[in-house]
Amino acid sequence: MADSIRAGRYISQPQGYKAFVPNPLPPEPPLALDAALLRLLSQADCALGRLDGAGAILPNPDFFVSMYVRQEAVLSSQIEGTQSTLEDVLAYEAGDQGAESPRDLAEVVNYVKAMNHGLERLTELPLSLRLIREIHGRLLEGVRGGDRTPGEFRRSQNWIGPAGCTLKDAAYVPPPVHEMLQALDNLEKFLHDESLPILVQCALAHAQFETIHPFLDGNGRVGRLLITFLLCWRGVLRRPLLYLSLYLKAHRAEYYDRLQAVRVDGDWEGWLRFFLAGVAEVADGATRTARAILDLREEHRQLVVAKARKASSAHALLDMLFRNPIVTPHTVQRGLGCAFDTANRLVSDFAEWGLLRETTGKQRNRRFRYQPYLALFPSA
């Protein structure tokens, strides 16, 4: 069902370009939830339920969450052109902040801070425009785009297109400022509307946010965070375990095409099919990862029991590695509150047992990675 005015209208502006002004959500005519879409919705709902359950059985699910937050930060930032990897972020946290670190690493670190800030604030505030502005401010603080009014909705026209393009030849022009403010007000009301299935609401809200494009920079990252925040705020997920950036990065061209098809053809159903398929795929993958973590932890705990001279310290290091899988003897010393010689010996033992791998090739300032665990988190 294609309807060129179902999602909104392209309005000619006095300056000679056309900007898109979205209609309020939910769509009108209403979504055509046929048998195929309902089947996809059911599959995505079930996958999300399995993921929530799998997260609950982990001995310390917060370790799992912290890794997923970092992975999402990396992948979501890569969609926007950064080059930093999960390894870069973990090495930075381990104290390796040398000149070889990618310049855009701070953007990924900011993403983690913005996500954690938003999740914490959701215990005090509803999901709202105020919270979205706060998250944006944290995202762009002191990094590229930091001069583009962080934490404030834009006061000028923006556009999307290849480098060097102008408003007149842009691929997409979001609504002018006065129309944008009304569209944001409508979106905030929709976020509080519980009449649709939650995953349908997430899909529509994300697409609408990207269509409104209310910031001069950072719209894609904030829009992807909005999905997780909505699921957690509504209590569908007890922990923030669903992140779609891996799927969206792998299907980037279709992602943009589906969003544009909503604006041009009113094809909300096509976007919804794409979105629900992504939720099911990502949730099932995260559930498999959670189970693999459980198996890996038990296998390595048994190995530690069999080999460690001082089991309590070795178990403490193993737990630390699930939170910080890249370490140095100094970070182990700080993390365990032990003497440096003890930390150094523990790290050497773990390397001898095949749990840690040294990555620098140096005799001093050595860094180690918990390779079996990191292998469970794909980066592309």
Side-chain angles (χ1 to χ4, degrees):
M1 176 175 54
D3 185 343
S4 60
I5 63 171
R6 188 185 185 200
R9 288 179 170 84
Y10 279 95
I11 306 295
S12 295
Q13 304 300 308
Q15 297 84 353
Y17 62 88
K18 289 185 176 182
F20 187 79
V21 178
N23 294 334
L25 295 174
E28 203 50 58
L31 291 167
L33 296 177
D34 59 16
L37 257 177
L38 288 173
R39 185 163 55 252
L40 271 175
L41 178 58
S42 176
Q43 290 169 353
D45 275 331
C46 289
L48 202 59
R50 287 192 295 269
L51 174 59
D52 193 51
I57 66 171
L58 290 170
N60 194 329
D62 290 336
F63 293 175
F64 181 37
V65 169
S66 69
M67 280 297 292
Y68 257 85
V69 166
R70 294 163 172 140
Q71 184 193 38
E72 169 66 9
V74 167
L75 292 168
S76 189
S77 299
Q78 285 177 353
I79 291 174
E80 306 303 324
T82 67
Q83 302 300 313
S84 294
T85 65
L86 182 59
E87 179 113 6
D88 294 328
V89 174
L90 294 167
Y92 179 88
E93 292 175 353
D96 185 3
Q97 301 170 17
E100 74 275 11
S101 297
R103 291 171 55 190
D104 53 25
L105 179 60
E107 295 180 36
V108 183
V109 173
N110 269 17
Y111 191 100
V112 174
K113 292 177 180 177
M115 184 184 301
N116 289 331
H117 174 77
L119 293 168
E120 183 178 338
R121 290 288 276 161
L122 279 176
T123 64
E124 308 164 354
L125 289 175
L127 188 53
S128 58
L129 298 182
R130 173 185 171 184
L131 182 56
I132 287 170
R133 288 197 304 272
E134 284 188 19
I135 294 161
H136 184 261
R138 296 296 179 98
L139 186 70
L140 294 188
E141 185 178 6
V143 299
R144 180 181 56 172
D147 58 343
R148 310 194 76 186
T149 61
E152 298 293 335
F153 294 131
R154 58 183 168 88
R155 301 185 184 91
S156 59
Q157 184 67 65
N158 57 354
W159 62 94
I160 299 171
C165 76
T166 66
L167 272 167
K168 292 184 180 180
D169 55 8
Y172 172 68
V173 180
V177 172
H178 64 287
E179 301 281 8
M180 175 201 75
L181 294 173
Q182 182 59 58
L184 283 169
D185 184 60
N186 293 337
L187 177 60
E188 185 175 52
K189 291 183 174 68
F190 178 71
L191 293 175
H192 294 255
D193 180 356
E194 299 186 14
S195 62
L196 290 172
I198 181 61
L199 285 177
V200 174
Q201 185 181 24
C202 287
L204 299 183
H206 174 77
Q208 191 81 330
F209 183 86
E210 298 306 323
T211 289
I212 297 168
H213 235 62
F215 298 112
L216 291 177
D217 197 7
N219 293 284
R221 286 166 286 176
V222 174
R224 289 186 284 277
L225 282 173
L226 187 60
I227 299 167
T228 301
F229 290 154
L230 187 53
L231 289 170
C232 290
W233 180 53
R234 289 278 296 277
V236 177
L237 287 178
R238 284 168 286 187
R239 290 179 175 85
L241 291 172
L242 183 80
Y243 300 109
L244 290 180
S245 288
L246 183 62
Y247 177 80
L248 297 179
K249 184 186 176 191
H251 302 86
R252 189 183 319 199
E254 185 177 1
Y255 171 45
Y256 295 137
D257 288 347
R258 289 295 183 186
L259 289 176
Q260 190 64 5
V262 170
R263 301 159 190 153
V264 174
D265 302 320
D267 187 12
W268 283 108
E269 288 77 12
W271 161 251
L272 190 55
R273 283 191 293 272
F274 174 77
F275 182 88
L276 293 175
V279 169
E281 180 179 314
V282 170
D284 280 340
T287 298
R288 289 191 297 272
T289 300
R291 291 171 178 160
I293 289 172
L294 197 62
D295 293 341
L296 185 72
R297 185 175 185 271
E298 183 56 30
E299 176 189 341
H300 289 174
R301 281 178 66 84
Q302 293 299 326
L303 187 150
V304 164
V305 167
K307 292 184 173 289
R309 287 166 286 182
K310 191 173 180 182
S312 60
S313 296
H315 283 304
L317 175 54
L318 185 61
D319 285 343
M320 179 181 173
L321 292 174
F322 280 96
R323 182 174 63 251
N324 300 109
I326 292 184
V327 295
T328 68
H330 286 290
T331 60
V332 171
Q333 177 189 14
R334 290 194 297 270
L336 301 188
C338 62
F340 178 78
D341 286 347
T342 301
N344 199 37
R345 186 175 63 252
L346 276 170
V347 169
S348 296
D349 286 345
F350 272 52
E352 182 182 332
W353 303 336
L355 300 182
L356 288 176
R357 180 165 63 83
E358 208 283 321
T359 61
T360 67
K362 302 175 182 177
Q363 293 300 313
R364 303 185 63 182
N365 300 318
R366 296 183 303 162
R367 187 172 71 234
F368 297 80
R369 70 195 320 264
Y370 186 23
Q371 178 61 31
Y373 183 53
L374 283 171
L376 300 178
F377 294 89
S379 59

